[in-house]
């Protein structure tokens, strides 16, 4: 098993090195086949590990690779930690990545830089696998930053486009904000526990707070004397642990594009469509969810941190859903959907339903990758057009893509019958989160429940709006574009079939394991679990109206979208004109980009210009190198003027010199 795990992690790295270093020698086709072939092997091995570890008898496996850092009491080994949580992430990451590799063979067929593209895809996958197999926080941070680097390279893949460069830089900078918090959280964990090895930290966490300390923490009081000075504040054990959790969560907010650190996610659409599927479905944006789930033994000791996680997740789910209502770019609608669904996952984490959060991460990977790759198929068919206002009537021209997008839509909106086993993947996982939130006794659980149900309504509306605007009604594209509309090749459609099957059946097949009767046996301690999990017990006994509320919201959103875009297409324009301010507010994404531009970008530019012109130019250069150089030039200019080249000038100067010398001698002899 050790060899299999090493192969899963390092095969994508080998693909990256071959395509990246030898791509020009072996050619584009060979680069595509090598990287995709290695990913398929990693995928097969990932499912083998999943069945052996998650669904089998194998317990947590630790695979040592090498000694890494030893400095005093700081000892970090590079090792792979494979438990149920890691096995689930293996399946998610490698399934989506393999299908994206295959899909890209068709989608990127005409791009001259295919070896570089496939090398970046494999590098991205390797970095994510390093993250999810981390046995310590430093190794996780290595994978964390590797994913950030690869996302920068992929988002800016078409680097000759200024918008792509700007989007890549934006993603990189916004994530640095979150990563700064993550790094501080790692430092604080080391200060509190004397280690960043996960096993050591989790073992110490069990006895970190005494029973009365934990109760005091829940009540908002201290739990003893100060143990750390953070930003000038003296913190006791309970508050120091809360600070560590919040700093770790700050990193999760950046990677998973949560409210306030979300602005990079929609702009990431500037990369090729397969990149969007890879980033939004299975890798970068789920890293934050994975981090909080992995550190659940710490978060469970801090009710305040869990409250913040719940609150931020609920606001993100609602905020992103409102923005998605009016977007016209097909990829941006799906991007805001991703942002909203990540909010659902964090709410589940915040209320302690860790299994439900990872369950939604698992199902979301299938239907969101399906929607993004389906959108890529649409864009491929209409000659690169992404604005849904110039689509319409495509259902009969690209029927396979239409039905795959239809499956993705019913999975995202959670179509299913409450109280039964009839439903799509999103139905099982999303409803589990909503019902768990209602069952929770957290400080903001009621507020979060309301926002999640409203977000479910909005999700249904914008998802069906996308379907109706793209595939139904009269064609709004030019006759030339419509004449060339064609279905995608099989190399692009086969990944859609596989993802479609997952979007339909993954929830039904695995619900009992992720958040059902086999919950404790399935997770085997890889998440914070108790033999009698309160939230799980109460989740099964919520009132009937709670179970039906997501269904009603979904149906209402579907009917509203049908009425506005099929029955009465003039209604959206009328409402936009009647409520111009609200429409512009949502269309401009709550003006967060403008606000951040005013607060940070312009301020930084003004400060930089001032320091450049005044500090560097006038003061440092003026009194430093430039000032000294100017004075030297002044002196040399005057000396140069004395060198005229005329003989009588030199004779006159010599006479003056002789006269001065004689005068000095005469005066000197008289004394």
């Amino acid at each position: 098993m050790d060899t299999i795990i090493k192969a899963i992690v390092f095969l994508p790295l080998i693909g990256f090195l071959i395509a990246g270093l030898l791509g020009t020698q072996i050619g584009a086709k060979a680069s595509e086949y090598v990287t995709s072939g290695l990913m398929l092997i990693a995928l097969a091995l990932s499912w083998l590990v999943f069945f052996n570890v998650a669904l089998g008898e194998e317990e947590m496996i630790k695979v040592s690779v090498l000694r890494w850092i030893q400095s005093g009491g700081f000892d970090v080994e590079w090792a792979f930690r494979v438990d149920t949580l890691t096995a689930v992430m293996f399946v998610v990451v490698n399934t989506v990545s393999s299908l994206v590799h295959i899909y890209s063979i068709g989608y990127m067929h005409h791009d001259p830089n295919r070896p570089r593209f496939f090398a970046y895809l494999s590098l991205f996958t390797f970095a994510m696998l390093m993250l999810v197999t981390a046995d310590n926080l430093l190794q996780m941070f290595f994978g964390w930053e590797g994913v950030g680097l690869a996302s920068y390279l992929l988002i800016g893949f078409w680097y000759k486009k200024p918008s792509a460069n700007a989007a890549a830089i934006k993603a990189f900078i916004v994530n640095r904000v979150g990563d700064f918090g993550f790094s501080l959280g790692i430092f604080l964990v080391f200060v509190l526990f004397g280690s960043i090895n996960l096993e050591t930290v989790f073992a110490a966490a069990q006895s970190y707070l005494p029973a009365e300390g934990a109760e005091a923490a829940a009540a908002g009081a201290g739990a003893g004397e100060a143990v750390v000075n953070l930003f000038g504040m003296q913190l006791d054990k309970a508050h120091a642990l809360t600070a560590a959790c919040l700093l770790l969560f700050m990193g999760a907010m950046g990677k998973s594009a949560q409210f306030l650190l979300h602005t990079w996610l929609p702009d990431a659409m500037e990369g090729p469509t397969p990149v969007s599927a890879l980033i939004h479905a299975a890798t970068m944006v789920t890293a934050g969810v994975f981090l909080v789930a992995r550190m659940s033994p710490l978060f469970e000791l801090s009710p305040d941190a869990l409250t913040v996680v719940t609150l931020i997740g609920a606001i993100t789910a609602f905020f992103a859903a409102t923005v998605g209502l009016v977007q016209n770019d097909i990829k941006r609608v799906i991007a805001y959907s991703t942002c909203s669904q990540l909010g659902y996952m964090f709410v589940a984490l915040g209320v302690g339903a860790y299994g439900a959060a990872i369950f939604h991460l698992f199902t979301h990977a299938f239907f969101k990758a399906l929607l993004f790759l389906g959108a890529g198929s649409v864009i491929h068919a209409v000659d690169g057009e992404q604005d849904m206002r110039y689509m319409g009537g495509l259902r009969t021209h690209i029927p396979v893509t239409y039905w795959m997008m239809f499956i993705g839509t019913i999975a995202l909106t959670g179509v299913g019958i409450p109280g039964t086993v009839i439903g799509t993947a999103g139905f099982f996982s999303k409803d589990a989160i909503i019902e768990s939130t209602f069952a929770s006794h957290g400080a903001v659980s009621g507020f979060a429940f309301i926002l999640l149900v409203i977000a479910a309504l909005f999700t249904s509306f914008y998802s069906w709006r996308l379907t109706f605007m793209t595939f139904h009604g009269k064609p709004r594209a030019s006759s030339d574009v419509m004449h060339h509309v064609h279905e995608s090749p099989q190399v692009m459609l086969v990944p859609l079939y596989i993802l479609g099957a997952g979007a339909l059946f993954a929830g039904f097949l695995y619900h009992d394991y992720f958040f059902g009767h086999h919950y404790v046996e399935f997770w085997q301690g890889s998440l914070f679990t108790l033999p009698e999990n309160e939230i799980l017990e109460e989740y099964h006994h919520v009132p009937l109206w709670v179970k039906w509320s997501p269904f009603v919201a979904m149906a209402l959103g579907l009917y509203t979208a049908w009425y506005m875009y099929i029955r009465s297409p003039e209604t959206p324009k009328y409402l936009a004109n009647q409520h111009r301010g609200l429409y512009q507010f949502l269309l401009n994404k709550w003006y967060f980009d403008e606000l951040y531009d005013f607060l940070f970008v312009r301020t930084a530019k003004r400060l930089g210009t001032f320091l450049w012109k005044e500090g560097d130019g006038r003061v440092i250069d003026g009194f430093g190198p430039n000032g000294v150089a100017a004075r030297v030039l002044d002196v040399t200019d005057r000396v140069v003027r004395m060198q005229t080249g005329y003989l009588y000038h030199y004779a006159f100067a010599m006479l003056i010199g002789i006269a001065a010398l004689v005068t000095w001698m005469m005066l000197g002899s008289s004394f």
Side-chain angles (χ1 to χ4, degrees):
M1 188 61 72
D2 289 11
T3 304
I4 290 174
I5 291 169
K6 289 180 180 179
I8 292 172
V9 177
F10 289 119
L11 283 175
L13 177 63
I14 294 171
F16 159 69
L17 293 173
I18 292 174
L21 299 177
L22 304 175
T24 54
Q25 283 77 29
I26 64 177
K29 280 292 180 187
S31 298
E32 293 171 347
Y33 294 151
V34 167
T35 54
S36 300
L38 291 174
M39 279 308 310
L40 287 174
I41 297 172
L43 170 61
L45 297 177
S46 297
W47 279 100
L48 179 64
V49 170
F50 179 76
F51 284 118
N52 276 278
V53 175
L55 301 180
E57 301 300 322
E58 289 271 8
E59 296 184 357
M60 193 270 287
I61 302 170
K62 182 175 178 180
V63 180
S64 297
V65 179
L66 51 83
R67 304 300 301 175
W68 195 8
I69 299 175
Q70 288 178 294
S71 177
F74 186 74
D75 186 2
V76 174
E77 181 185 19
W78 189 8
F80 300 144
R81 176 191 180 93
V82 180
D83 51 17
T84 300
L85 180 59
T86 306
V88 170
M89 295 303 295
F90 269 171
V91 168
V92 169
V93 172
N94 286 329
T95 298
V96 175
S97 182
S98 298
L99 296 176
V100 166
H101 273 75
I102 295 169
Y103 179 93
S104 299
I105 293 175
Y107 190 87
M108 301 295 289
H109 178 67
H110 298 293
D111 196 286
N113 299 305
R114 295 199 300 283
R116 179 165 61 90
F117 181 77
F118 279 83
Y120 289 168
L121 289 183
S122 293
L123 174 64
F124 200 118
T125 307
F126 166 71
M128 190 65 193
L129 293 173
M130 284 295 301
L131 192 159
V132 301
T133 57
D135 187 50
N136 57 76
L137 288 173
L138 185 60
Q139 186 179 333
M140 189 182 294
F141 192 73
F142 173 81
W144 193 272
E145 293 303 302
V147 170
L149 168 64
S151 68
Y152 171 80
L153 296 172
L154 284 168
I155 295 169
F157 177 74
W158 288 322
Y159 57 86
K160 293 184 179 180
K161 288 174 57 180
S163 57
N165 280 325
I169 293 171
K170 185 176 183 180
F172 197 79
I173 292 175
V174 173
N175 272 276
R176 294 292 72 71
V177 177
D179 294 355
F180 178 68
F182 186 22
S183 61
L184 291 180
I186 295 173
F187 299 153
L188 188 51
V189 167
F190 180 74
V191 170
L192 297 180
F193 298 101
S195 175
I196 57 172
N197 294 309
L198 296 181
E199 279 190 52
T200 305
V201 171
F202 295 160
Q206 295 177 8
S207 57
Y208 180 71
L209 292 177
E212 62 273 13
E215 294 170 3
E225 297 180 358
V227 295
V228 68
N229 184 316
L230 182 67
F231 305 128
M233 298 179 291
Q234 298 292 328
L235 302 180
D236 57 31
K237 282 189 172 184
H239 291 101
L241 187 63
T242 297
C245 291
L246 290 177
L247 288 169
L248 293 174
F249 178 60
M250 184 176 172
M253 286 177 64
K255 272 291 184 288
S256 294
Q258 291 301 282
F259 187 69
L260 301 179
L261 294 180
H262 66 277
T263 52
W264 68 269
L265 190 65
D267 289 352
M269 298 300 97
E270 289 293 337
T273 301
V275 172
S276 305
L278 192 59
I279 291 177
H280 290 72
T283 51
M284 183 167 173
V285 297
T286 60
V289 179
F290 171 82
L291 169 63
V292 177
R294 174 59 84 200
M295 303 304 293
S296 55
L298 288 191
F299 277 84
E300 274 296 315
L301 297 176
S302 176
D304 290 340
L306 290 177
T307 299
V308 173
V309 173
T310 306
L311 186 63
I312 293 294
I315 293 173
T316 303
F318 174 78
F319 154 75
T322 63
V323 176
L325 296 173
V326 298
Q327 298 301 306
N328 296 309
D329 186 307
I330 187 172
K331 288 171 64 178
R332 282 181 178 267
V333 174
I334 305 173
Y336 276 106
S337 169
T338 297
C339 193
S340 181
Q341 297 305 305
L342 288 165
Y344 275 85
M345 298 176 207
F346 277 106
V347 170
L349 294 170
V351 300
Y354 301 106
I358 303 302
F359 187 32
H360 198 51
L361 184 156
F362 179 76
T363 60
H364 177 264
F366 290 103
F367 59 73
K368 189 52 58 71
L370 176 61
L371 287 169
F372 266 116
L373 296 184
S377 185
V378 172
I379 295 167
H380 181 266
V382 294
D383 198 28
E385 181 60 66
Q386 295 184 198
D387 195 324
M388 297 184 298
R389 293 172 294 184
Y390 301 105
M391 296 181 187
L394 298 177
R395 179 168 56 93
T396 56
H397 294 81
I398 46 175
V400 176
T401 298
Y402 168 72
W403 284 110
M404 292 299 102
M405 290 284 283
F406 181 84
I407 290 173
T409 300
I410 63 174
L412 171 60
T413 56
V415 173
I417 302 176
T420 71
V421 294
I422 301 173
T424 59
F427 162 75
F428 287 97
S429 57
K430 184 191 67 176
D431 284 23
I433 291 175
I434 293 176
E435 293 167 28
S436 299
T437 304
F438 180 86
S440 169
H441 302 293
V444 294
S445 296
F447 174 72
F449 171 76
I450 294 171
L451 288 190
L452 292 188
V453 174
I454 296 173
L457 167 65
F458 292 164
T459 299
S460 179
F461 176 83
Y462 67 63
S463 298
W464 290 109
R465 171 180 177 264
L466 182 151
T467 300
F468 295 146
M469 288 184 69
T470 303
F471 296 103
H472 293 265
K474 296 179 180 179
R476 294 180 296 277
S478 66
S479 57
D480 184 56
V481 170
M482 292 303 298
H483 179 70
H484 292 93
V485 171
H486 59 285
E487 190 62 89
S488 298
Q490 287 300 315
V491 71
M492 293 173 61
L493 294 179
V494 169
L496 300 186
Y497 301 148
I498 298 171
L499 292 169
L504 286 176
F505 303 116
F508 168 74
L509 292 174
Y510 295 108
H511 173 258
D512 280 346
Y513 295 100
F514 279 86
F515 203 61
H517 300 299
H518 304 297
Y519 179 78
V520 175
E521 298 87 352
F522 177 75
W523 289 111
Q524 301 181 60
S526 59
L527 297 178
F528 178 84
T529 55
L530 293 172
E532 298 295 332
N533 193 302
E534 254 183 60
I535 189 72
L536 187 59
E537 288 298 315
E538 296 191 19
Y539 152 70
H540 289 294
H541 300 94
V542 296
L544 194 61
W545 69 268
V546 174
K547 290 182 177 290
W548 279 89
S549 58
F551 178 86
V552 173
M554 178 273 298
L556 186 58
L558 168 59
Y559 174 77
T560 307
W562 172 83
Y563 180 83
M564 294 178 66
Y565 292 96
I566 300 296
R567 177 73 181 273
S568 178
E570 67 279 357
T571 300
K573 293 181 181 178
Y574 172 78
L575 290 175
N577 290 327
Q578 286 292 106
H579 306 280
R580 198 71 187 169
L582 177 61
Y583 176 73
Q584 289 296 325
F585 179 71
L586 297 180
L587 188 65
N588 288 284
K589 303 158 289 189
W590 290 28
Y591 292 103
F592 268 103
D593 282 329
E594 290 77 5
L595 177 64
Y596 286 177
D597 183 66
F598 174 76
L599 291 178
F600 303 116
V601 179
R602 294 185 189 177
T603 303
K605 284 184 176 179
R606 283 195 293 267
L607 177 61
T609 301
F610 172 79
L611 294 176
W612 166 38
K613 296 284 189 181
E614 301 298 325
D616 189 40
R618 180 172 297 182
V619 177
I620 297 176
D621 286 345
F623 292 99
N626 290 352
V628 173
R631 302 293 77 77
V632 171
L633 285 174
D634 289 343
V635 173
T636 55
D637 282 344
R638 288 178 172 80
V639 172
V640 165
R641 291 193 188 100
M642 297 174 62
Q643 305 298 322
T644 63
Y646 293 111
L647 183 60
Y648 61 89
H649 283 175
Y650 298 144
F652 179 70
M654 291 171 64
L655 288 173
I656 292 176
I658 292 172
L661 180 61
V662 171
T663 302
W664 177 75
M665 292 176 65
M666 292 174 62
L667 292 174
S669 62
S670 64
F671 291 101

